[in-house]
Amino acid sequence: MVPRTRLARFTLYLGGMYLVLALLKGLLNLAGATGAAAPMSGWTRFLGFVFSVLCIFLALRWFRNHVMWSVRNRLIVTYLFIGGVPVLLAGALAIGSGYLVLEQLATYLTVSEIRAQEQRLAAANVAAAEKIFNRGSSPEQIMANDPVFPGRSILVLPSRLAPQWLTTDFAGLANDRGHLYLRAAHVLPPDTKSGGERRIVISSVPFDQKFLAKVAAQIGSLTISEADIQVSNSGGSIRVTEQRGRAENTVGDQSRGISFSAGSVPQARAAWDRELDFGGLIQTTEWTTGSTLGQGAFLTGAARLSTIYAEFTASMGIWTGVIGTALLVTAIAFAVVVLIALLIGARLTRTITYSVASLYKATQHVNRGDFNHRIHVREHDQLAALQTAFNSMTESLQRLIIEQKEKERLQSELEIAHEVQAQLFPRDIAGTKTLEVHGICRPARIVSGDYYDFLSYGPDQMGLAVGDISGKGISAALLMATIHSAVRAYEQEALVSVDAASAYGTTGRRTTRAQMTPPSPAQMLWLLNRHLFQTTQ
């Protein structure tokens, strides 16, 4: 495509400069002259940016001048902006909102499972305190016979040895010397035997890979990593920073660290069963100070949509299928409505574009002089009325052209009749020895019924015929020609009679034209009257 505008030629020239500089820069880099190629980087980036902007502008202008020239394309673009873009935005909003909801739901399910473990540990800790102080069981016996938390450790402390903040029962995640624990503490009433000092029973379960695998069994893949939370009291802002790569302490065969993973994502049940990544922050408590500010752990993981849906609807019982069916029916109804709207819009667009295209083709035919072309009207709307009016206009133009041609033909014939009638009037000067007679006739129209003629009867006398036919135009001109021919015929008949009498005279003497007696006006008019009565209406 050859550039035709100045801007297009300038863009092509700029693109050529960019390619030359880029090629030269590449050759210098290959040759090892990076110092000489470095100054060209700024120019190549600048030229590339300007060239890209100009190309986008030219593409938009070409799109407007060529693609948007058609009414069909304009309507399609209009429908896309009015109907398609909102549907896409609504779909994107629904998908994004659904993803966020599912992500939060997956995080909620995971955190809920952790909180449920915390509540179980708190209940087990209260039960352990009851067994220790009321039944005489030892902590070692309780830990050995614990099927729920096999790795639990139980510690009984007086309140003076426990953290100062621990004055009430506690259950949650605790960060104790760089390690996470699922910990529950039960504060007993003061013991009168020990001087009224309170005793505290603390149960701890290491929040390690083994425990995380127990939580992840119902979700998917989970990862816990340390998070550093910095709180600014002045501005009220919170900043969370993930900390990885810290040293891990090893006790036995268990790796106790702040960053570890457990679980795996199950296989997909269907094509729609995608893998969903989620994440959230779990608040932890600093065990020595009891502070929750600046303490936390990142929880990240991956789960299947089917797993999340199954966990979410597990408590709904028989209503699960009803809700799923209702959502499916709603989605199908929405899709059907959108499809029907799309079909109606396509139908209306096709009707409009067909009418406009038919009118455009019809104007092309009229422009070529083809007035026989007619538009096939198929609808009963305003555009169809416009097509009907166009057909009526072409018919009127066709009749007008035929009438114009007929008028031109009649005008040509009238011009010929004018020339013929002009030939009927005397063209030579007539007269006698002592008189010259000239005549001229200027009709009001192209032809007329006016008549004059000069009749020669020798050198001493002549006849003058003047007449006017009633009416105007062709009929009067035709009757005038009849009168002219009749007058001439009677004149020639009189001359022929004189010549015959001169050559074969019965009187015994010769008669010349100069001596002949012309017919009287009465006799001539009598002959003309008889002729007209017999030959005309």
PDB file of all heavy atoms in Angstrom, residues 81-109:
ATOM      1  N   PHE A  81     -20.232  -1.602  20.958  1.00  0.00           N
ATOM      2  CA  PHE A  81     -20.039  -0.657  22.047  1.00  0.00           C
ATOM      3  C   PHE A  81     -21.259  -0.616  22.975  1.00  0.00           C
ATOM      4  O   PHE A  81     -21.116  -0.497  24.189  1.00  0.00           O
ATOM      5  CB  PHE A  81     -19.751   0.743  21.496  1.00  0.00           C
ATOM      6  CG  PHE A  81     -18.302   0.958  21.142  1.00  0.00           C
ATOM      7  CD1 PHE A  81     -17.905   0.975  19.825  1.00  0.00           C
ATOM      8  CD2 PHE A  81     -17.361   1.131  22.133  1.00  0.00           C
ATOM      9  CE1 PHE A  81     -16.572   1.161  19.491  1.00  0.00           C
ATOM     10  CE2 PHE A  81     -16.026   1.323  21.813  1.00  0.00           C
ATOM     11  CZ  PHE A  81     -15.625   1.344  20.491  1.00  0.00           C
ATOM     12  N   ILE A  82     -22.451  -0.695  22.377  1.00  0.00           N
ATOM     13  CA  ILE A  82     -23.663  -0.587  23.187  1.00  0.00           C
ATOM     14  C   ILE A  82     -23.990  -1.900  23.898  1.00  0.00           C
ATOM     15  O   ILE A  82     -24.349  -1.908  25.078  1.00  0.00           O
ATOM     16  CB  ILE A  82     -24.852  -0.145  22.313  1.00  0.00           C
ATOM     17  CG1 ILE A  82     -24.598   1.279  21.774  1.00  0.00           C
ATOM     18  CG2 ILE A  82     -26.152  -0.183  23.099  1.00  0.00           C
ATOM     19  CD1 ILE A  82     -25.676   1.767  20.847  1.00  0.00           C
ATOM     20  N   GLY A  83     -23.877  -3.000  23.173  1.00  0.00           N
ATOM     21  CA  GLY A  83     -24.264  -4.279  23.754  1.00  0.00           C
ATOM     22  C   GLY A  83     -23.113  -5.187  24.107  1.00  0.00           C
ATOM     23  O   GLY A  83     -23.098  -5.821  25.165  1.00  0.00           O
ATOM     24  N   GLY A  84     -22.107  -5.263  23.220  1.00  0.00           N
ATOM     25  CA  GLY A  84     -21.016  -6.209  23.453  1.00  0.00           C
ATOM     26  C   GLY A  84     -20.094  -5.808  24.579  1.00  0.00           C
ATOM     27  O   GLY A  84     -19.761  -6.630  25.449  1.00  0.00           O
ATOM     28  N   VAL A  85     -19.670  -4.551  24.588  1.00  0.00           N
ATOM     29  CA  VAL A  85     -18.733  -4.102  25.622  1.00  0.00           C
ATOM     30  C   VAL A  85     -19.342  -4.209  27.021  1.00  0.00           C
ATOM     31  O   VAL A  85     -18.692  -4.715  27.949  1.00  0.00           O
ATOM     32  CB  VAL A  85     -18.258  -2.668  25.323  1.00  0.00           C
ATOM     33  CG1 VAL A  85     -17.436  -2.117  26.468  1.00  0.00           C
ATOM     34  CG2 VAL A  85     -17.441  -2.646  24.036  1.00  0.00           C
ATOM     35  N   PRO A  86     -20.610  -3.749  27.230  1.00  0.00           N
ATOM     36  CA  PRO A  86     -21.176  -3.952  28.576  1.00  0.00           C
ATOM     37  C   PRO A  86     -21.282  -5.418  28.979  1.00  0.00           C
ATOM     38  O   PRO A  86     -21.055  -5.758  30.142  1.00  0.00           O
ATOM     39  CB  PRO A  86     -22.562  -3.310  28.474  1.00  0.00           C
ATOM     40  CG  PRO A  86     -22.426  -2.290  27.399  1.00  0.00           C
ATOM     41  CD  PRO A  86     -21.490  -2.902  26.413  1.00  0.00           C
ATOM     42  N   VAL A  87     -21.617  -6.288  28.002  1.00  0.00           N
ATOM     43  CA  VAL A  87     -21.699  -7.713  28.337  1.00  0.00           C
ATOM     44  C   VAL A  87     -20.322  -8.249  28.710  1.00  0.00           C
ATOM     45  O   VAL A  87     -20.165  -9.010  29.685  1.00  0.00           O
ATOM     46  CB  VAL A  87     -22.302  -8.503  27.155  1.00  0.00           C
ATOM     47  CG1 VAL A  87     -22.162  -9.996  27.377  1.00  0.00           C
ATOM     48  CG2 VAL A  87     -23.766  -8.145  26.987  1.00  0.00           C
ATOM     49  N   LEU A  88     -19.297  -7.843  27.937  1.00  0.00           N
ATOM     50  CA  LEU A  88     -17.946  -8.286  28.265  1.00  0.00           C
ATOM     51  C   LEU A  88     -17.499  -7.749  29.618  1.00  0.00           C
ATOM     52  O   LEU A  88     -16.888  -8.469  30.417  1.00  0.00           O
ATOM     53  CB  LEU A  88     -16.978  -7.827  27.163  1.00  0.00           C
ATOM     54  CG  LEU A  88     -17.126  -8.521  25.811  1.00  0.00           C
ATOM     55  CD1 LEU A  88     -16.137  -7.935  24.813  1.00  0.00           C
ATOM     56  CD2 LEU A  88     -16.901 -10.018  25.936  1.00  0.00           C
ATOM     57  N   LEU A  89     -17.792  -6.466  29.868  1.00  0.00           N
ATOM     58  CA  LEU A  89     -17.429  -5.901  31.170  1.00  0.00           C
ATOM     59  C   LEU A  89     -18.171  -6.594  32.306  1.00  0.00           C
ATOM     60  O   LEU A  89     -17.585  -6.869  33.365  1.00  0.00           O
ATOM     61  CB  LEU A  89     -17.721  -4.395  31.185  1.00  0.00           C
ATOM     62  CG  LEU A  89     -16.837  -3.534  30.277  1.00  0.00           C
ATOM     63  CD1 LEU A  89     -17.267  -2.080  30.344  1.00  0.00           C
ATOM     64  CD2 LEU A  89     -15.368  -3.664  30.673  1.00  0.00           C
ATOM     65  N   ALA A  90     -19.477  -6.855  32.067  1.00  0.00           N
ATOM     66  CA  ALA A  90     -20.239  -7.560  33.098  1.00  0.00           C
ATOM     67  C   ALA A  90     -19.690  -8.977  33.305  1.00  0.00           C
ATOM     68  O   ALA A  90     -19.580  -9.450  34.445  1.00  0.00           O
ATOM     69  CB  ALA A  90     -21.720  -7.610  32.712  1.00  0.00           C
ATOM     70  N   GLY A  91     -19.348  -9.640  32.187  1.00  0.00           N
ATOM     71  CA  GLY A  91     -18.760 -10.974  32.318  1.00  0.00           C
ATOM     72  C   GLY A  91     -17.421 -10.937  33.031  1.00  0.00           C
ATOM     73  O   GLY A  91     -17.147 -11.777  33.903  1.00  0.00           O
ATOM     74  N   ALA A  92     -16.580  -9.945  32.652  1.00  0.00           N
ATOM     75  CA  ALA A  92     -15.282  -9.830  33.323  1.00  0.00           C
ATOM     76  C   ALA A  92     -15.452  -9.512  34.803  1.00  0.00           C
ATOM     77  O   ALA A  92     -14.744 -10.058  35.663  1.00  0.00           O
ATOM     78  CB  ALA A  92     -14.444  -8.743  32.641  1.00  0.00           C
ATOM     79  N   LEU A  93     -16.431  -8.620  35.106  1.00  0.00           N
ATOM     80  CA  LEU A  93     -16.706  -8.303  36.513  1.00  0.00           C
ATOM     81  C   LEU A  93     -17.205  -9.525  37.260  1.00  0.00           C
ATOM     82  O   LEU A  93     -16.801  -9.774  38.412  1.00  0.00           O
ATOM     83  CB  LEU A  93     -17.727  -7.166  36.589  1.00  0.00           C
ATOM     84  CG  LEU A  93     -18.112  -6.686  37.994  1.00  0.00           C
ATOM     85  CD1 LEU A  93     -16.884  -6.141  38.712  1.00  0.00           C
ATOM     86  CD2 LEU A  93     -19.198  -5.629  37.907  1.00  0.00           C
ATOM     87  N   ALA A  94     -18.086 -10.291  36.606  1.00  0.00           N
ATOM     88  CA  ALA A  94     -18.599 -11.497  37.261  1.00  0.00           C
ATOM     89  C   ALA A  94     -17.483 -12.518  37.488  1.00  0.00           C
ATOM     90  O   ALA A  94     -17.385 -13.121  38.564  1.00  0.00           O
ATOM     91  CB  ALA A  94     -19.717 -12.110  36.421  1.00  0.00           C
ATOM     92  N   ILE A  95     -16.628 -12.692  36.466  1.00  0.00           N
ATOM     93  CA  ILE A  95     -15.534 -13.658  36.610  1.00  0.00           C
ATOM     94  C   ILE A  95     -14.546 -13.195  37.678  1.00  0.00           C
ATOM     95  O   ILE A  95     -14.101 -13.974  38.525  1.00  0.00           O
ATOM     96  CB  ILE A  95     -14.831 -13.854  35.256  1.00  0.00           C
ATOM     97  CG1 ILE A  95     -15.778 -14.550  34.265  1.00  0.00           C
ATOM     98  CG2 ILE A  95     -13.560 -14.684  35.423  1.00  0.00           C
ATOM     99  CD1 ILE A  95     -15.221 -14.664  32.872  1.00  0.00           C
ATOM    100  N   GLY A  96     -14.201 -11.891  37.636  1.00  0.00           N
ATOM    101  CA  GLY A  96     -13.281 -11.377  38.638  1.00  0.00           C
ATOM    102  C   GLY A  96     -13.856 -11.455  40.038  1.00  0.00           C
ATOM    103  O   GLY A  96     -13.179 -11.872  40.992  1.00  0.00           O
ATOM    104  N   SER A  97     -15.144 -11.066  40.153  1.00  0.00           N
ATOM    105  CA  SER A  97     -15.785 -11.141  41.470  1.00  0.00           C
ATOM    106  C   SER A  97     -15.888 -12.595  41.937  1.00  0.00           C
ATOM    107  O   SER A  97     -15.648 -12.898  43.115  1.00  0.00           O
ATOM    108  CB  SER A  97     -17.174 -10.509  41.411  1.00  0.00           C
ATOM    109  OG  SER A  97     -17.094  -9.164  40.996  1.00  0.00           O
ATOM    110  N   GLY A  98     -16.241 -13.469  41.003  1.00  0.00           N
ATOM    111  CA  GLY A  98     -16.312 -14.884  41.370  1.00  0.00           C
ATOM    112  C   GLY A  98     -14.965 -15.435  41.800  1.00  0.00           C
ATOM    113  O   GLY A  98     -14.877 -16.214  42.754  1.00  0.00           O
ATOM    114  N   TYR A  99     -13.905 -14.994  41.075  1.00  0.00           N
ATOM    115  CA  TYR A  99     -12.571 -15.461  41.458  1.00  0.00           C
ATOM    116  C   TYR A  99     -12.205 -14.960  42.846  1.00  0.00           C
ATOM    117  O   TYR A  99     -11.680 -15.714  43.681  1.00  0.00           O
ATOM    118  CB  TYR A  99     -11.549 -14.978  40.434  1.00  0.00           C
ATOM    119  CG  TYR A  99     -10.128 -15.390  40.751  1.00  0.00           C
ATOM    120  CD1 TYR A  99      -9.664 -16.655  40.406  1.00  0.00           C
ATOM    121  CD2 TYR A  99      -9.267 -14.523  41.402  1.00  0.00           C
ATOM    122  CE1 TYR A  99      -8.371 -17.044  40.713  1.00  0.00           C
ATOM    123  CE2 TYR A  99      -7.972 -14.904  41.716  1.00  0.00           C
ATOM    124  CZ  TYR A  99      -7.520 -16.162  41.354  1.00  0.00           C
ATOM    125  OH  TYR A  99      -6.250 -16.545  41.663  1.00  0.00           O
ATOM    126  N   LEU A 100     -12.486 -13.668  43.106  1.00  0.00           N
ATOM    127  CA  LEU A 100     -12.175 -13.129  44.427  1.00  0.00           C
ATOM    128  C   LEU A 100     -13.003 -13.824  45.515  1.00  0.00           C
ATOM    129  O   LEU A 100     -12.490 -14.127  46.603  1.00  0.00           O
ATOM    130  CB  LEU A 100     -12.438 -11.620  44.448  1.00  0.00           C
ATOM    131  CG  LEU A 100     -11.500 -10.770  43.592  1.00  0.00           C
ATOM    132  CD1 LEU A 100     -11.927  -9.306  43.648  1.00  0.00           C
ATOM    133  CD2 LEU A 100     -10.051 -10.919  44.053  1.00  0.00           C
ATOM    134  N   VAL A 101     -14.281 -14.054  45.217  1.00  0.00           N
ATOM    135  CA  VAL A 101     -15.134 -14.728  46.201  1.00  0.00           C
ATOM    136  C   VAL A 101     -14.628 -16.143  46.463  1.00  0.00           C
ATOM    137  O   VAL A 101     -14.533 -16.593  47.618  1.00  0.00           O
ATOM    138  CB  VAL A 101     -16.594 -14.736  45.714  1.00  0.00           C
ATOM    139  CG1 VAL A 101     -17.448 -15.650  46.589  1.00  0.00           C
ATOM    140  CG2 VAL A 101     -17.163 -13.337  45.732  1.00  0.00           C
ATOM    141  N   LEU A 102     -14.289 -16.865  45.373  1.00  0.00           N
ATOM    142  CA  LEU A 102     -13.789 -18.227  45.554  1.00  0.00           C
ATOM    143  C   LEU A 102     -12.448 -18.232  46.279  1.00  0.00           C
ATOM    144  O   LEU A 102     -12.178 -19.111  47.110  1.00  0.00           O
ATOM    145  CB  LEU A 102     -13.661 -18.910  44.190  1.00  0.00           C
ATOM    146  CG  LEU A 102     -14.975 -19.239  43.480  1.00  0.00           C
ATOM    147  CD1 LEU A 102     -14.694 -19.795  42.095  1.00  0.00           C
ATOM    148  CD2 LEU A 102     -15.792 -20.245  44.287  1.00  0.00           C
ATOM    149  N   GLU A 103     -11.602 -17.237  45.970  1.00  0.00           N
ATOM    150  CA  GLU A 103     -10.318 -17.145  46.651  1.00  0.00           C
ATOM    151  C   GLU A 103     -10.513 -16.907  48.148  1.00  0.00           C
ATOM    152  O   GLU A 103      -9.887 -17.573  48.993  1.00  0.00           O
ATOM    153  CB  GLU A 103      -9.485 -16.027  46.039  1.00  0.00           C
ATOM    154  CG  GLU A 103      -8.114 -15.884  46.658  1.00  0.00           C
ATOM    155  CD  GLU A 103      -7.339 -14.735  46.070  1.00  0.00           C
ATOM    156  OE1 GLU A 103      -7.929 -13.984  45.261  1.00  0.00           O
ATOM    157  OE2 GLU A 103      -6.153 -14.569  46.413  1.00  0.00           O
ATOM    158  N   GLN A 104     -11.410 -15.940  48.463  1.00  0.00           N
ATOM    159  CA  GLN A 104     -11.686 -15.682  49.869  1.00  0.00           C
ATOM    160  C   GLN A 104     -12.366 -16.876  50.539  1.00  0.00           C
ATOM    161  O   GLN A 104     -12.124 -17.158  51.723  1.00  0.00           O
ATOM    162  CB  GLN A 104     -12.566 -14.430  50.003  1.00  0.00           C
ATOM    163  CG  GLN A 104     -11.888 -13.153  49.542  1.00  0.00           C
ATOM    164  CD  GLN A 104     -10.650 -12.846  50.354  1.00  0.00           C
ATOM    165  OE1 GLN A 104     -10.639 -13.010  51.575  1.00  0.00           O
ATOM    166  NE2 GLN A 104      -9.593 -12.423  49.675  1.00  0.00           N
ATOM    167  N   LEU A 105     -13.210 -17.575  49.749  1.00  0.00           N
ATOM    168  CA  LEU A 105     -13.883 -18.745  50.300  1.00  0.00           C
ATOM    169  C   LEU A 105     -12.884 -19.853  50.618  1.00  0.00           C
ATOM    170  O   LEU A 105     -12.975 -20.511  51.666  1.00  0.00           O
ATOM    171  CB  LEU A 105     -14.945 -19.240  49.323  1.00  0.00           C
ATOM    172  CG  LEU A 105     -15.802 -20.418  49.790  1.00  0.00           C
ATOM    173  CD1 LEU A 105     -16.559 -20.058  51.059  1.00  0.00           C
ATOM    174  CD2 LEU A 105     -16.775 -20.820  48.689  1.00  0.00           C
ATOM    175  N   ALA A 106     -11.923 -20.048  49.692  1.00  0.00           N
ATOM    176  CA  ALA A 106     -10.896 -21.063  49.944  1.00  0.00           C
ATOM    177  C   ALA A 106     -10.052 -20.695  51.158  1.00  0.00           C
ATOM    178  O   ALA A 106      -9.740 -21.551  52.009  1.00  0.00           O
ATOM    179  CB  ALA A 106     -10.013 -21.218  48.708  1.00  0.00           C
ATOM    180  N   THR A 107      -9.705 -19.404  51.251  1.00  0.00           N
ATOM    181  CA  THR A 107      -8.964 -18.955  52.439  1.00  0.00           C
ATOM    182  C   THR A 107      -9.788 -19.137  53.705  1.00  0.00           C
ATOM    183  O   THR A 107      -9.274 -19.572  54.749  1.00  0.00           O
ATOM    184  CB  THR A 107      -8.557 -17.483  52.261  1.00  0.00           C
ATOM    185  OG1 THR A 107      -7.838 -17.327  51.033  1.00  0.00           O
ATOM    186  CG2 THR A 107      -7.685 -17.025  53.402  1.00  0.00           C
ATOM    187  N   TYR A 108     -11.073 -18.805  53.597  1.00  0.00           N
ATOM    188  CA  TYR A 108     -11.963 -18.951  54.756  1.00  0.00           C
ATOM    189  C   TYR A 108     -12.068 -20.411  55.187  1.00  0.00           C
ATOM    190  O   TYR A 108     -12.042 -20.722  56.398  1.00  0.00           O
ATOM    191  CB  TYR A 108     -13.331 -18.390  54.416  1.00  0.00           C
ATOM    192  CG  TYR A 108     -14.394 -18.697  55.439  1.00  0.00           C
ATOM    193  CD1 TYR A 108     -14.441 -18.007  56.644  1.00  0.00           C
ATOM    194  CD2 TYR A 108     -15.344 -19.682  55.192  1.00  0.00           C
ATOM    195  CE1 TYR A 108     -15.410 -18.297  57.595  1.00  0.00           C
ATOM    196  CE2 TYR A 108     -16.312 -19.980  56.137  1.00  0.00           C
ATOM    197  CZ  TYR A 108     -16.345 -19.288  57.327  1.00  0.00           C
ATOM    198  OH  TYR A 108     -17.302 -19.581  58.268  1.00  0.00           O
ATOM    199  N   LEU A 109     -12.196 -21.317  54.223  1.00  0.00           N
ATOM    200  CA  LEU A 109     -12.297 -22.731  54.567  1.00  0.00           C
ATOM    201  C   LEU A 109     -11.028 -23.215  55.254  1.00  0.00           C
ATOM    202  O   LEU A 109     -11.085 -23.971  56.243  1.00  0.00           O
ATOM    203  CB  LEU A 109     -12.569 -23.553  53.309  1.00  0.00           C
ATOM    204  CG  LEU A 109     -13.936 -23.363  52.657  1.00  0.00           C
ATOM    205  CD1 LEU A 109     -14.029 -24.142  51.351  1.00  0.00           C
ATOM    206  CD2 LEU A 109     -15.055 -23.789  53.607  1.00  0.00           C
TER     207      LEU A 109
END
